[in-house]
């Protein structure tokens, strides 16, 4: 470019090559562009000079020069990439006006699945981007900016498919093949009727069929439309997820839809990342991106690789992230935008009933063809005998059309379209009622399957208990104290030395996953799990004034608690420069890692086998009082390399805690209800076996014939031993997630049990997914657990689970009632018309009458029978076993008995009605047929009440 000899400037270069005007925009952005282009131009000049002298140097010098050339080319590319980025993502006037320096599309590109670290670094990394979107990485954004950010950067909502209108459902209903055939028959009937009988008598039959068809279509469309609306409401309920963010220097919970660009979002194990963003700070963050990338290997996210994507799951660790893209600008949003939601999947019961409907429809088609052929043959024979086969009139054509309409109507009545509708109505009704009873059904099939549940494997904490935990007893320095009131806490302070108290408080405050925040009312609140909150509350009651001091200590490494390790560890930098690690968790596990103990003077003394046994006895005594036991220990470390983990042994035991979690009111009654209903309740918990047994006895789960085992014992058993042991297991303590998984799969495969499982953690996902009914906890449950569950228990209460079982049984029995009712109607209608056509030569039930019966039967009948609420009697019968026939022997007895009774009544009226009731005159046949139809309808009403 310099060879042209033309004078140039950077401004002219910007204008000429990149369409960037000299005055728009001014300031810092313009300066960056000038520097970038200057860098490119200077590098080009250097490159030309290098190449011009390349032939005059030796190989080593040439390699050095070529290396420099490659560096120049890379810099050149980076600069051009930056300039091209500027060209692709211009700032809008609204963004400039509000003081933002980066566009939403550029933010989205930075954290996209094809993220480019070069662009990220070009913007100054996490600090530069936070400045450009006016966010403090420590204090978050201000609540007053939410609306502005939503307007400029978008809301965290995915584009929803527009709801189908009522008329679309009408159009779908009109596409039914049998109804189309009937419409053609109606039109033919109108034309022939007007030609033979004139106006208005000639339109009665055809118009009656048309009105009946329209009524059936409108009722069907109305029902489908209402159900679609209900499912949309339930889908909105599923999306009500709360996340933790920092705003105005306070940590608070907000709905996931209220997240905005610039929010500082808190992530922990089990969370589903709700937006795209950048890693700010955290520990051991492992992310599962398989739902986005298809790669099963977890991704380690850190400051070096800070990109986080919506839809990925947190497998381990904790972190804070800066939200940079929300809604449809996230990678997950773009994927969701390409998918079409085809509505609600059919449940197993619906599939089974669709098969039944198909078989009945085929039988009806055979009867319809036979009926039409019989009527047609009789008509032709009669015609041959009286007027001759060649003598035809318009009335003859109308008669054949009516025969055809009757045959088609028999098909309409025979096909039980009401079966799937009844299932949908019953499930939707149950879902709505369960929603008001604190249970959110995610998958329709769970409603019907829960009615067949023969076993419930339930968690203890938060499900059987209140999940409101308090530290009730403490053992420290050979002193065991109850700390349930302020007086006892003061006694504890007096019993231990200041040095012991200092280490205890330091361990509680630095080794925690909870945090203390101030609410809008100025009061101090604790955010975190109930166990963590109980320990933190206890620490605050001892020396709350030290929380801020210890909370500022630098945490070098953190290993968050998970259900496999059953402990949490942290490595901190002490003020004097030393290192100290703390660990807390399951009492037996922490005790095994300890070789020393802290005495009452604060000195470290060896932990003898006798002392260890005494501590185990104290653990068991706490557990026998239904207390959850935890130990806390520490270890001073001289140095630790970057590739080393937090130490696993050599710890000094500080204290043992007994945490009280009272049993929920009504749990024992709910367990007794399950037992009366033939549902076995098993408690699966990670707690000490003595604690588990004490709680299980209090709840009525552990009986004299039952046994309690630890999870690891399952893996030591052979298949035969396991088969003998399984029916007796009522409590499984110290269970790992895979222990729960093995228990569930063994019950299903060996004993054909229909198993319902509760879970709250990420590692419960395999058991929840494998079970027949997965029940996730709405309060304590992680988002991963909820995603793999069929039902979310919004109040984490066991009584709610029993209520789901009641409604499941109600759904199953209601559908059975409707099937019994509809099959009876179908059989009677088919046989009456067929027999009458064969013997008498006419069908007493006309097309209009059968369509009317079909409409009442398929809609109002389904509504009446499918929405009956559960009663106590339902929970006094055993569950329906896996593989049992849906139509039982009792149902067949009722169908055949009621059918024979109706056929006897209608047959008597058909063949002897005129004589018995002395019906005479020109309208005798019409009167008799009317009587038959009304008797047919009243018989259905009687059958319905039975």
């Amino acid at each position: 470019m310099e060879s042209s000899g033309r004078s140039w400037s950077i401004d002219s270069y910007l204008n000429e090559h990149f369409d960037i005007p000299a005055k728009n925009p001014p300031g810092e952005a313009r300066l960056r562009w000038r520097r970038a282009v200057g860098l490119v131009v200077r590098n080009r000049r250097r490159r030309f000079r290098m190449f011009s002298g390349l032939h005059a140097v030796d190989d080593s010098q040439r390699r050095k020069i070529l290396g420099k050339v490659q560096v120049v080319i890379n810099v050149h590319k980076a600069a051009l990439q930056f300039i091209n980025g500027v060209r692709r993502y211009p700032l809008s006037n609204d963004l400039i006006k509000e003081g933002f320096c980066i566009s939403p599309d550029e933010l989205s590109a930075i954290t996209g699945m094809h993220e480019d670290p070069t662009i990220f670094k070009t913007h100054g990394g996490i600090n530069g981007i936070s400045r450009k979107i006016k966010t403090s990485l420590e204090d978050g954004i201000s609540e007053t900016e939410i609306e502005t950010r939503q307007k400029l950067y978008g809301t965290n909502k995915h584009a929803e498919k527009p709801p189908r209108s009522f008329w679309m459902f009408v159009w779908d209903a009109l596409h039914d093949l049998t109804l189309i055939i009937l419409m053609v028959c109606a039109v033919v009937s109108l034309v022939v009727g007007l030609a033979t009988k004139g106006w208005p008598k000639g339109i009665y039959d055809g118009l009656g069929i048309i009105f009946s068809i329209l009524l059936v279509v409108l009722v069907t469309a109305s029902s489908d439309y209402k159900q679609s609306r209900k499912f949309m409401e339930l889908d909105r309920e599923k999306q009500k997820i709360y996340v933790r963010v920092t705003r105005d220097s306070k940590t608070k919970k907000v709905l996931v839809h209220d997240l905005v660009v610039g929010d500082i979002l808190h992530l922990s194990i089990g969370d589903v990342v709700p937006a795209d963003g950048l890693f700010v700070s955290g520990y051991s963050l492992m992310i599962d991106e398989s739902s986005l990338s298809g790669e099963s290997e977890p991704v380690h996210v850190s400051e070096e690789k800070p990109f986080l994507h919506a839809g990925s799951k947190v497998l381990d660790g904790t972190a804070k992230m800066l939200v940079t893209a929300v809604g449809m600008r996230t990678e997950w949003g773009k994927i969701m935008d390409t998918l079409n939601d085809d509505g609600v999947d059919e449940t197993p019961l619906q599939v089974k009933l669709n098969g039944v409907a198909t078989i009945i429809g085929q039988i009806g088609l055979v009867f319809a063809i036979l009926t039409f052929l019989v009527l047609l043959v009789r008509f032709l024979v009669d015609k041959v005998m009286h007027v001759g086969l060649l003598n035809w009139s318009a009335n003859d054509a109308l008669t054949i059309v009516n025969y055809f309409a009757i045959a088609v109507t028999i098909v309409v009545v025979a096909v039980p379209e009401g079966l799937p509708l009844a299932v949908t109505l019953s499930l939707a009704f149950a879902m709505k009622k369960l929603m008001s009873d604190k249970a959110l059904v995610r998958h329709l099939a769970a409603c019907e399957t829960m009615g067949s549940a023969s076993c419930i494997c339930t968690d203890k904490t938060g499900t059987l208990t209140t999940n409101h935990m308090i530290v009730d007893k403490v053992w420290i320095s050979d002193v065991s104290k109850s700390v349930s009131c302020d007086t006892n806490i003061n006694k504890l302070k007096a019993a231990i030395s200041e040095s012991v108290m200092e280490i205890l408080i330091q361990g509680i405050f630095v080794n925690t996953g909870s945090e203390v925040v101030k609410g809008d009312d100025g009061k101090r609140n604790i955010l975190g799990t109930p166990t963590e909150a109980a320990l933190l509350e206890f620490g605050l009651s001892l020396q709350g004034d030290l929380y801020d001091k210890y909370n500022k200590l630098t945490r070098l490494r953190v290993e968050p608690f998970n259900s496999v390790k059953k402990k949490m560890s942290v490595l901190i930098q002490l003020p004097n420069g030393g290192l100290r690690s703390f660990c807390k968790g399951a009492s037996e596990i922490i005790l095994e890692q300890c070789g020393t103990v802290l005495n009452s003077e604060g000195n470290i003394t060896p932990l003898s086998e006798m002392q260890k046994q005494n501590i185990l006895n104290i653990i068991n005594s706490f557990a026998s009082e239904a207390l959850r036991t935890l130990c806390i220990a520490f270890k001073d470390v001289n140095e630790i390399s970057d590739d080393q983990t937090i130490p696993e042994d050599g710890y000094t035991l500080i204290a043992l805690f007994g945490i009280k979690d009272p049993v929920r009111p009504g749990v024992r009654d709910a367990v007794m209800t399950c037992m009366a209903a033939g549902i076995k309740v098993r408690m699966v918990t990670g707690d000490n076996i003595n604690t588990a047994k004490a709680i299980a006895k209090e709840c009525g789960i552990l009986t004299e014939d039952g046994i309690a085992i630890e999870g690891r014992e399952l893996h030591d058993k052979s298949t035969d031993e396991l088969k003998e042991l399984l029916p007796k297991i009522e409590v499984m303590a110290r269970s790992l997630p895979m222990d729960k998984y093995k228990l569930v799969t063994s019950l299903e495969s060996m004993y054909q049990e229909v198993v319902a499982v509760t879970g709250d953690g990420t590692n419960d996902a395999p058991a929840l997914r494998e079970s027949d009914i997965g029940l996730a906890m709405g309060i304590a449950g992680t988002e991963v657990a909820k995603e793999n569950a069929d039902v979310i228990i919004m109040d984490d209460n066991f009584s709610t689970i029993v209520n789901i079982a009641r409604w499941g049984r109600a759904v199953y029995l209601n559908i059975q009632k409707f099937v019994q009712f509809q099959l009876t109607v179908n059989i009677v209608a088919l046989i009456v018309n067929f027999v009458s056509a064969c013997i008498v030569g006419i069908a007493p039930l006309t097309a209009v009458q059968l369509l009317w019966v079909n409409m009442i039967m398929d809609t109002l009948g389904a509504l009446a029978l499918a929405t009956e609420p559960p009663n106590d009697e339902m929970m006094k019968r055993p569950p329906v076993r896996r593989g049992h026939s849906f139509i039982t022997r009792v149902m067949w007895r009722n169908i055949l008995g009621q059918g024979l009774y109706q056929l006897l009544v209608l047959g008597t009226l058909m063949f002897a009605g005129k004589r018995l009731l002395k019906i005479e005159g020109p309208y005798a046949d019409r009167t008799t047929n009317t009587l038959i139809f009304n008797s047919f309808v009243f018989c259905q009403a009687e059958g319905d009440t039975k």
Side-chain angles (χ1 to χ4, degrees), residues 66-133:
L66 287 173
K68 292 179 180 179
V69 169
Q70 189 60 51
V71 171
V72 170
I73 291 171
N74 290 340
V75 174
H76 179 195
K77 285 181 179 178
L80 285 177
Q81 191 174 31
F82 170 73
I83 297 170
N84 288 333
V86 172
R87 288 185 66 196
R88 287 200 304 271
Y89 308 112
L91 289 176
S92 67
N93 291 330
D94 291 335
L95 285 168
I96 296 170
K97 182 180 176 182
E98 295 294 338
F100 294 100
C101 300
I102 190 168
S103 71
D105 290 332
E106 188 165 9
L107 275 175
S108 175
I110 290 171
T111 53
M113 286 303 288
H114 303 289
E115 69 270 350
D116 188 346
T118 308
I119 303 177
F120 172 65
K121 292 174 182 175
T122 302
H123 285 284
I126 185 76
N127 293 312
I129 290 174
S130 65
R131 285 195 300 272
K132 291 181 179 183
I133 57 175

Side-chain angles (χ1 to χ4, degrees), residues 519-654:
D520 295 333
D521 54 1
K523 292 183 179 178
R524 190 165 59 183
N525 299 316
I526 298 176
L527 296 177
T529 64
T531 307
E532 295 268 24
L535 286 175
L536 201 53
E537 188 68 50
F538 173 69
L540 292 171
S541 66
L542 287 175
Q543 288 188 346
D545 54 320
L546 294 177
Y547 176 76
D548 290 332
K549 173 187 173 183
Y550 288 139
N551 198 41
K552 290 177 181 176
L553 291 175
T554 303
R555 293 175 175 82
L556 301 176
R557 291 183 196 169
V558 176
E559 291 180 2
F561 180 87
N562 64 49
S563 55
V564 176
K565 296 177 182 176
K566 295 192 181 299
K567 66 173 185 174
M568 176 181 179
S569 304
V570 63
L571 181 70
I572 63 168
Q573 180 87 51
L574 295 173
N576 62 9
L579 302 177
R580 177 173 290 170
S581 65
F582 287 97
C583 70
K584 70 175 181 192
S587 47
E588 299 95 330
I589 293 173
I590 302 300
L591 187 59
E592 281 299 317
Q593 295 183 354
C594 294
T596 52
V597 63
L598 209 60
N599 66 16
S600 56
E601 289 80 29
N603 298 321
I604 297 174
T605 59
L607 184 62
S608 65
E609 286 300 319
M610 184 179 294
Q611 283 180 301
K612 187 173 285 190
Q613 188 57 50
N614 289 337
I615 295 169
L616 283 172
N617 292 337
I618 294 168
I619 290 171
N620 291 331
S621 69
F622 281 11
S624 63
E625 297 176 40
L627 298 179
R628 189 175 196 181
T629 60
L630 288 176
C631 283
I632 185 169
F634 81 100
K635 178 180 182 178
D636 286 326
V637 183
N638 294 325
E639 58 181 3
I640 188 168
S641 62
D642 293 339
D643 58 345
Q644 279 184 292
T645 59
I646 298 176
E648 295 283 341
D649 53 20
Y651 279 87
T652 300
L653 183 65
I654 304 172

